[in-house]
Amino acid sequence: MTHRIGIDVGGTNTDAVLLNNDKRVIARTKQSTTGDVITGIEKAIASLLSEADIDKSTITQAMLGTTHCTNAIVERKGLNSVAHFRLAAPATLAILPLTDVPDDFRNHLTTYLFIVEGGFNYNGKILSPLDEEKIRQHLRAVKGKVDVISVCGVFSTVSNVQELRVAELVHEELGSGIPVSLSHKIGSIGLLERENASILNAVLFSTAQNIANGFSQALKAHNINAEIFFGQNDGTLMPLKHALSFPILTIASGPTNSIRGASYLTGLKNALIVDVGGTTTDVGILTNGFPRESLIAAEIGGVRTNFRMPDIASIGLGGGTIVTPLANGAFKIGPESVGYKLVEQALVFGGDVITVTDIAVAKGLLHLGDITLVQHLSAEWVEKVFAHYVTMVEKVIDKMKTNNDPTPVVLVGGGAILLPTTLQGASQVIRPENAGVANAIGISVAQASGEVDILVALDKNNDLNAGLKEAQNQAIAQAIAIGAQPDSIETIELEAIPLAYMPGNTVRIRAKVAGILGATPVQ
């Protein structure tokens, strides 16, 4: 018998579950997220072990979903210094790297930006050869001044040869220990957005290392020797080594963990998922068992990127959301929240702040704290507040739907109990068992995946079927490299998108596969 631990760190709560090898929950816990995060994780692990009487040596895998990287960008804290090379001259000189990012983000970065000869055309033909000596000169100039190197070439998603060569030059000049962020491994077509994604990935290296070290120490403190995995924002997993190289892929992993958890708990492959936390409510779409991806460029902390992101709509509504009474019986709901201080500041816990949790307790939906502490609230006023926040959620549901047909809605998250089991636009509302820790369950049962997004110029030597097969094989190789069992891999997405704005018969091919995580990933 083997076991696995899944932990998801949110802004308010740190949720954790212990699963056996049949993926059955044998212990669960919800701890307040702590300022240093790791303390909350340690408490969660301790709680799981006290609830389940198992041999710690049987815990072979530990999965973590975390908001660390998102917070680092939004708060502009702990970002690495970076030297970035755009392989594009003599083209693209009119727009410098990071031109479209907010001033306050740029001001918090230590960056050295270089545009050097290089790049490819859409069909894989060289736009300009690399000037290796110039690149070496720039590298020598920044030696000892930067923590990491970022590289982005024009159409490097078509041909990655030049980016890989620059990585070799970096290690020759600066040593093998310096990390290199390569854009073709992160973003899709679109130079500026992919460049931003590569730079964001680069500045997060230390953040990822710190959380990895902290998680490892938390496990060792409880004598757990397990393989570590991080949650990705497509609802799948990556091993520790991969996470340290691609920390940007952990951004927005929280909502996707909940979506995957909802699918596992209900058996549904297509549904609308409403994840109610302590601070926000996130609404996403479950499509063929995985989160629906956004079709538009994503902004992270004001920085526009084009790497994969889940299609999530969020509103400032959660268990800790503050309800402010106004004149004549009016009120204001959020977006401010007491967050992880809910158990100190909410009325039902002896505090002096009215929260959405207090409203749910006063209405009788939730049995928590001391109900006598909210009995002074007018029943009519409570009903109005309740109806208003339910309508807030129904509006988001309507926004996320692609048609007017009623859709199954699954309620998950610690605040799922705040909502009724009937909602407008829903064919049925399901609140499954263990809904409160669906996020931790989702990361525990997640699969390993591979994804490819390439451009292919079709001609007599390169037909569409061959292009689709090549993309699929590349995605399968990626999944196997990070731990997927080869015989379990399924194709989640395989499509060719014609590009009318490209010369010639050029198509964009997207392939995504996923498979069951093996005992040990390929290192």
Side-chain angles (χ1 to χ4, degrees):
M1 176 70 73
T2 61
H3 299 87
R4 62 177 66 181
I5 286 178
I7 300 176
D8 187 88
V9 181
T12 304
N13 294 309
T14 295
D15 298 332
V17 294
L18 181 66
L19 273 60
N20 62 16
N21 54 358
D22 293 327
K23 296 182 180 178
R24 182 172 62 86
V25 178
I26 61 173
R28 51 173 285 181
T29 187
K30 186 179 290 289
Q31 302 288 327
S32 295
T33 296
T34 55
D36 65 350
V37 179
I38 297 301
T39 301
I41 291 175
E42 288 181 345
K43 290 181 178 178
I45 295 172
S47 178
L48 292 178
L49 295 176
S50 65
E51 184 178 339
D53 183 18
I54 64 168
D55 181 354
K56 296 178 184 179
S57 67
T58 63
I59 302 175
T60 59
Q61 297 174 336
M63 292 79 167
L64 179 67
T66 175
T67 59
H68 270 70
C69 290
T70 305
N71 295 344
I73 293 173
V74 172
E75 298 173 6
R76 318 314 201 201
K77 291 181 179 179
L79 304 177
N80 288 112
S81 57
V82 58
H84 174 70
F85 289 81
R86 179 195 288 175
L87 314 181
T92 78
L93 295 174
I95 302 177
L96 299 178
L98 297 179
T99 294
D100 61 338
V101 307
D103 290 340
D104 73 303
F105 180 74
R106 191 185 300 106
N107 293 338
H108 279 82
L109 293 179
T110 300
T111 55
Y112 298 84
L113 307 175
F114 305 105
I115 302 178
V116 297
E117 285 74 6
F120 289 87
N121 288 298
Y122 74 96
N123 57 4
K125 293 182 178 180
I126 288 180
L127 178 67
S128 180
L130 288 177
D131 185 338
E132 294 192 6
E133 182 53 38
K134 182 182 291 185
I135 294 172
R136 288 183 186 275
Q137 291 175 3
H138 289 317
L139 289 170
R140 292 167 192 153
V142 300
K143 188 172 185 177
K145 298 179 181 179
V146 296
D147 305 315
V148 63
I149 304 295
S150 171
V151 186
C152 180
V154 174
F155 283 119
S156 63
T157 52
V158 176
S159 177
N160 60 17
V161 174
Q162 289 185 346
E163 285 195 3
L164 293 173
R165 177 54 184 159
V166 174
E168 292 176 351
L169 297 177
V170 170
H171 292 144
E172 289 174 11
E173 293 294 335
L174 304 183
S176 60
I178 188 164
V180 182
S181 177
L182 302 178
S183 76
H184 75 271
K185 294 185 176 182
I186 301 166
S188 57
I189 59 175
L191 176 67
L192 297 181
E193 294 87 354
R194 176 161 43 86
E195 182 172 65
N196 288 345
S198 181
I199 294 172
L200 282 185
N201 187 63
V203 301
L204 292 171
F205 273 72
S206 289
T207 300
Q209 187 67 64
N210 290 339
I211 182 58
N213 290 342
F215 188 37
S216 178
Q217 291 168 11
L219 292 170
K220 288 180 180 177
H222 293 283
N223 297 315
I224 296 173
N225 183 23
E227 200 78 45
I228 293 176
F229 297 86
F230 277 66
Q232 300 191 82
N233 57 15
D234 65 347
T236 62
L237 294 168
M238 54 183 169
L240 176 60
K241 182 178 179 181
H242 196 76
L244 294 177
S245 297
F246 304 102
I248 196 172
L249 298 183
T250 68
I251 290 176
S253 63
T256 63
N257 292 336
S258 295
I259 292 173
R260 287 285 294 155
S263 176
Y264 178 77
L265 291 172
T266 61
L268 295 175
K269 298 295 184 182
N270 297 279
L272 194 147
I273 313 303
V274 179
D275 179 16
V276 188
T279 305
T280 62
T281 292
D282 300 319
V283 180
I285 301 292
L286 180 67
T287 304
N288 297 324
F290 285 86
R292 184 176 73 186
E293 288 189 18
S294 175
L295 297 178
I296 61 175
E299 283 197 4
I300 305 168
V303 181
R304 185 178 174 86
T305 69
N306 67 355
F307 75 104
R308 64 168 190 239
M309 286 285 282
D311 188 9
I312 301 292
S314 299
I315 56 174
L317 176 69
T321 298
I322 297 173
V323 181
T324 306
L326 303 175
N328 301 319
F331 53 86
K332 173 177 174 287
I333 299 179
E336 300 83 8
S337 171
V338 297
Y340 61 84
K341 294 184 178 180
L342 176 70
V343 294
E344 302 172 15
Q345 298 186 4
L347 293 185
V348 292
F349 295 112
D352 58 1
V353 180
I354 303 175
T355 67
V356 168
T357 294
D358 295 311
I359 300 299
V361 171
K363 185 172 171 56
L365 279 179
L366 184 59
H367 303 288
L368 194 67
D370 186 350
I371 192 173
T372 64
L373 298 176
V374 293
Q375 287 180 343
H376 65 284
L377 300 177
S378 160
E380 180 182 1
W381 186 79
V382 166
E383 189 61 39
K384 287 181 179 179
V385 175
F386 170 75
H388 184 81
Y389 79 65
V390 169
T391 300
M392 290 170 62
V393 174
E394 291 173 337
K395 286 181 178 179
V396 182
I397 290 174
D398 185 61
K399 173 184 175 182
M400 293 296 288
K401 291 169 62 177
T402 56
N403 56 53
N404 291 326
D405 296 335
T407 304
V409 173
V410 183
L411 302 180
V412 296
I417 194 66
L418 300 174
L419 294 174
T421 53
T422 56
L423 293 169
Q424 284 195 8
S427 59
Q428 59 177 323
V429 178
I430 305 168
R431 189 187 297 126
E433 184 181 2
N434 291 317
V437 288
N439 49 357
I441 292 173
I443 196 170
S444 299
V445 302
Q447 298 174 305
S449 69
E451 185 172 11
V452 171
D453 189 340
I454 58 176
L455 295 181
V456 175
L458 303 180
D459 53 36
K460 61 182 180 181
N461 298 318
N462 193 16
D463 63 25
L464 179 59
N465 288 334
L468 289 168
K469 188 63 176 177
E470 174 61 23
Q472 185 181 40
N473 288 339
Q474 288 183 30
I476 290 172
Q478 286 183 17
I480 293 173
I482 63 173
Q485 296 178 5
D487 59 354
S488 72
I489 293 177
E490 296 180 332
T491 299
I492 306 302
E493 177 184 5
L494 184 61
E495 63 175 348
I497 307 168
L499 299 177
Y501 56 86
M502 286 286 190
N505 191 12
T506 302
V507 296
R508 177 184 182 185
I509 296 180
R510 289 165 51 95
K512 183 174 181 178
V513 303
I516 297 172
L517 194 65
T520 305
V522 176
Q523 298 298 324

